[in-house]
Amino acid sequence: MKTVQKTKIAFICQNCGFSSPKWSGKCPDCSSWNTFVEEEVSVKPRLATAGHCQEPVLLSSVKSLKEDRISIDIAELDRVLGSGIVKGSVVLIGGDPGIGKSTISLQLSNQLAQKGKKVLYVSGEESVQQTKLRADRLGAKPNESLYIVNATDIDVIIGFIKKFIPDLVVIDSIQVVYTPSLSSSAGSVSQVRECANILTQLAKHSGISVFLIGHVTKEGTLAGPRVLEHIVDTVLYFEGERFSNYRVLRAFKNRFGSTNEIGVFEMTQEGLIEVKNPSDIFLAQRPSEASGSVVVPILEGSRPILVEVQALVTKANFGVTRRKAQGIDYNRLSLLVAVLEKRLSLKLFDKDVFVNVVGGMKIEDPAVDMAVCLAISSSCLDKVIGFDTVVLGEVGLASEVRSVANITMRVNESRKLGFKKCILPRANYETVRSMETGQMKLIPVDDLKGAFNNLWKE
């Protein structure tokens, strides 16, 4: 007897994937407005599947396998991934349009192909000729291991993967891939979820690594259902100002490595070039005699980076004050301004306060607290902080300066770049006391008032 596949109409939220039998203006799950789209949903009978069904086994009886990684030889990308690509893993790369997602994907494909790895690059948004033009611009060398194809049907893509059996597959992008078994258009929640599931299952059972390129919404989140980020093993985001040459690649999820690492690249005509020493880039155009500028050594994973924090304090117009933060959390800025007003009697209640981290960096390291406080104070009092001075420390509500992690790496990096004075928490001083030499003076402080006294001695 022939089984008839039934279909039903459902309304799917394009933001979170919530399904409803009727249309609604507001999604009850994610509270987004006007995101429901009518889609046909296939109702397939539940059948016992064979092939992937396994019996439960004791964990102690499972043999440990050596983690097999493929090194890309792009140091910044290898660092973010955790020393290379794990075989059978699925990596999702997201970012704004034009940020460099397709560029880095084509560069890593070419790099692996040069090492003899077979790569299949599936471009759903560009023709083969257009992809070739981009590869020539990036300086890709001819080889017999990199295959490119223009395809969007997931069944056709799976057929090519089974035919060529590559080491790596790049899908550019997951939002244009569709499966004919669903009637909804490509890019819908149902299509993205189903295609991602198919590719993930293929990767896990074949050991083929898969890179997915994902678009982002105007809010900066990955387009499609949130379940997409749960399916994949690694989620990478490209960050950076649209009109800036520098890009930061950050891991937001990584099952096989740290999520604290970042990679820094410079966008050029020849593609993305690694930035070996980001500190030099972020401090290259620092003003020498301007108030409101201070340098802080932050830590991104295992890498210390020196960045410049700038502050501008001006009198508010019409009595309405503004607090603007670029690169640090706005709520953290409000808290630090309150500490300065309450504990140090700095009059900021009638002033606008603007804080910016130079270079487009986004900092979550609490060691930046004292730098923000001193930059604001410097601008408010119009006093210049020494050009050869770095400051670091977490600030509490009582204006006390608390210790930070990995102080040795931070001080070492500051000394290598020629800074001669470091204001740091007293709790960290004993750890790095032996590093104090004629080239680097360490000044331990207990609170913000102590930092002020050491910066601006009369």
Side-chain angles (χ1 to χ4, degrees):
M1 182 177 177
K2 187 177 180 180
T3 304
V4 179
Q5 182 173 308
K6 299 179 181 179
T7 61
K8 70 174 183 178
I9 299 298
F11 293 88
I12 310 294
C13 174
Q14 300 302 295
N15 187 44
C16 67
F18 181 81
S19 177
S20 173
K22 61 181 182 179
W23 185 87
S24 177
K26 181 179 180 181
C27 176
D29 194 32
C30 66
S31 300
S32 300
W33 287 89
N34 300 321
T35 56
F36 278 102
V37 173
E38 181 180 354
E39 296 182 10
E40 284 188 9
V41 181
S42 299
V43 182
K44 299 179 181 179
R46 285 188 173 272
L47 299 174
T49 58
H52 301 319
C53 183
Q54 298 179 351
E55 290 293 326
V57 296
L58 288 171
L59 180 61
S60 57
S61 66
V62 180
K63 293 183 178 179
S64 298
L65 297 177
K66 183 180 179 181
E67 190 178 66
D68 197 1
R69 291 180 182 264
I70 304 173
S71 177
I72 307 172
D73 288 345
I74 300 177
E76 297 295 301
L77 186 54
D78 278 332
R79 177 188 288 110
V80 177
L81 290 172
S83 304
I85 306 170
V86 175
K87 289 189 176 181
S89 63
V90 182
V91 180
L92 176 64
I93 303 178
D96 295 328
I99 202 74
K101 303 184 296 296
S102 298
T103 300
I104 193 66
S105 299
L106 191 55
Q107 284 185 228
L108 76 90
S109 299
N110 178 65
Q111 193 73 22
L112 290 177
Q114 294 295 330
K115 298 177 64 176
K117 302 294 183 182
K118 189 182 291 187
V119 180
L120 176 62
Y121 190 96
V122 182
S123 176
E125 300 176 350
E126 294 179 321
S127 66
V128 171
Q129 290 75 21
Q130 290 171 331
T131 306
K132 171 62 176 175
L133 286 174
R134 188 154 52 87
D136 291 341
R137 179 175 59 84
L138 298 177
K141 298 178 181 179
N143 59 76
E144 298 181 356
S145 298
L146 176 56
Y147 297 86
I148 58 175
V149 65
N150 173 254
T152 55
D153 188 331
I154 191 65
D155 294 336
V156 174
I157 294 172
I158 295 299
F160 286 136
I161 294 174
K162 291 181 177 179
K163 177 181 178 181
F164 290 97
I165 313 179
D167 297 294
L168 175 72
V169 177
V170 177
I171 307 293
D172 184 9
S173 66
I174 189 61
Q175 272 81 21
V176 300
V177 178
Y178 72 96
T179 173
S181 62
L182 297 177
S183 60
S184 54
S185 59
S188 65
V189 168
S190 302
Q191 288 284 4
V192 172
R193 180 175 55 225
E194 185 66 20
C195 293
N197 264 319
I198 293 172
L199 290 168
T200 301
Q201 291 301 316
L202 176 68
K204 300 305 177 187
H205 290 96
S206 64
I208 298 173
S209 302
V210 178
F211 270 69
L212 307 176
I213 296 177
H215 296 161
V216 296
T217 62
K218 60 183 180 181
E219 289 83 13
T221 58
L222 281 164
R226 295 292 296 182
V227 71
L228 179 60
E229 298 181 38
H230 298 296
I231 292 173
V232 300
D233 299 305
T234 305
V235 179
L236 307 180
Y237 273 90
F238 255 121
E239 300 173 353
E241 299 294 332
R242 183 177 180 183
F243 300 105
S244 171
N245 291 335
Y246 299 104
R247 306 285 189 265
V248 176
L249 184 65
R250 190 184 302 271
F252 278 77
K253 172 188 176 181
N254 194 350
R255 288 175 179 160
F256 309 111
S258 172
T259 56
N260 297 320
E261 299 287 356
I262 66 166
V264 183
F265 297 88
E266 182 181 3
M267 178 65 80
T268 67
Q269 290 292 334
E270 292 76 30
L272 289 164
I273 298 176
E274 301 174 76
V275 176
K276 301 293 184 181
N277 192 346
S279 300
D280 283 343
I281 300 297
F282 296 138
L283 302 179
Q285 302 177 40
R286 183 184 171 215
S288 58
E289 294 296 330
S291 62
S293 172
V294 65
V295 175
V296 53
I298 63 170
L299 205 66
E300 291 287 351
S302 59
R303 166 191 281 181
I305 300 176
L306 271 68
V307 296
E308 180 189 356
V309 176
Q310 292 183 334
L312 179 64
V313 179
T314 60
K315 189 173 182 179
N317 295 319
F318 310 111
V320 180
T321 60
R322 291 181 294 171
R323 307 284 187 259
K324 296 291 183 181
Q326 185 75 30
I328 66 170
D329 182 52
Y330 168 80
N331 295 321
R332 192 66 183 170
L333 172 61
S334 300
L335 184 147
L336 295 174
V337 168
V339 170
L340 289 172
E341 287 186 321
K342 177 70 175 178
R343 305 298 181 186
L344 282 86
S345 302
L346 205 63
K347 296 181 180 180
L348 299 171
F349 61 90
D350 60 345
K351 295 180 176 63
D352 294 332
V353 179
F354 305 93
V355 174
N356 175 51
V357 178
V358 176
M361 287 285 291
K362 295 181 180 178
I363 303 177
E364 297 179 357
D365 191 343
V368 78
D369 286 357
M370 187 158 65
V372 172
C373 290
L374 295 182
I376 293 173
S377 305
S378 171
S379 179
C380 182
L381 302 173
D382 200 21
K383 291 185 177 181
V384 179
I385 297 175
F387 193 74
D388 58 354
T389 302
V390 295
V391 301
L392 68 156
E394 181 181 358
V395 175
L397 295 181
S399 84
E400 78 277 12
V401 178
R402 297 174 175 267
S403 62
V404 297
N406 297 301
I407 185 66
T408 304
M409 296 175 62
R410 301 174 194 261
V411 174
N412 241 337
E413 184 71 9
S414 304
R415 187 171 58 181
K416 283 194 295 184
L417 291 176
F419 288 89
K420 298 179 180 178
K421 183 189 292 185
C422 177
I423 300 178
L424 72 164
R426 188 173 297 277
N428 287 127
Y429 180 62
E430 290 300 325
T431 305
V432 292
R433 189 172 186 176
S434 60
M435 298 174 62
E436 188 170 13
T437 63
Q439 297 179 349
M440 169 69 79
K441 183 179 180 182
L442 303 179
I443 303 175
V445 295
D446 297 304
D447 51 25
L448 284 177
K449 188 172 292 186
F452 280 25
N453 293 336
N454 281 281
L455 274 177
W456 301 301
K457 290 181 180 178
E458 297 296 332

